[in-house]
């Protein structure tokens, strides 16, 4: 069976399907960081915001976990940032280093336990005390 024009056969059709599929996948990959960045990678609902001079520490709670992330108000330049979360009776989980946007996320299992959250950006620091009890 002949096709009137060159390049309009089965190979060209499958190439178009492949390109369309790749574009859909790339679109999904490009959209994922925006959703991820909105929560800093934490699951659950935003339950507390702890202000810092140049940013904030956000605390999220899902059904099974508590999560925290330190977020800079003006992302771009590298600076010392840290975040930690500790369940009552447990060990703290910490992320610290030189970051441009945020430190974390750090999460712990905290179904019915209180958590203690600390965060810092450069010289400014904040802690929550025991919360989510």
């Amino acid at each position: 069976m002949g096709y009137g024009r060159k390049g309009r056969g089965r190979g060209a059709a499958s190439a178009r399907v492949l390109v369309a599929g790749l574009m859909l996948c790339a679109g999904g990959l490009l959209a994922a960081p925006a959703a991820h960045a909105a929560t800093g990678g934490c699951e659950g609902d935003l339950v507390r915001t702890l202000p810092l001079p140049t940013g904030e520490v956000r605390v999220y709670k899902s059904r099974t976990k508590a999560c925290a992330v330190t977020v800079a108000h003006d992302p771009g330049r590298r600076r010392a940032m840290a975040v930690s979360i500790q369940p009552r009776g447990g060990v703290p989980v910490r992320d610290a280093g030189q970051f441009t946007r945020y430190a974390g996320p750090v999460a712990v299992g905290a179904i019915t336990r209180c958590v203690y959250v600390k965060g810092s950006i450069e010289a400014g620091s904040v802690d929550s005390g025991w919360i989510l009890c």
Side-chain angles (χ1 to χ4, degrees), residues 101-122:
R101 291 185 181 187
Y102 56 87
V106 290
V108 293
I111 295 175
T112 58
R113 294 192 287 180
C114 305
V115 294
Y116 196 92
V117 178
K118 296 180 188 178
S120 66
I121 299 176
E122 295 175 323

Side-chain angles (χ1 to χ4, degrees), residues 6-88:
K6 237 180 181 179
R8 294 281 188 187
R10 258 184 260 149
S14 43
R16 284 192 302 271
V17 169
L18 178 65
V19 169
L22 288 174
M23 290 175 69
L24 286 173
C25 288
L29 291 174
L30 295 175
H36 177 79
T39 63
C42 287
E43 298 175 6
D45 298 321
L46 178 65
V47 292
R48 188 74 49 97
T49 301
L50 309 170
L52 286 162
T54 57
E56 62 192 19
V57 178
R58 298 177 187 163
V59 182
Y60 295 84
K61 177 88 167 109
S62 70
R63 194 171 61 79
T64 59
K65 291 184 178 182
C67 181
V69 61
T70 298
V71 181
H73 285 313
D74 59 340
R77 66 180 179 84
R78 291 199 173 276
R79 68 195 99 188
M81 297 176 72
V83 63
S84 71
I85 186 168
Q86 176 181 0
R88 186 170 290 209

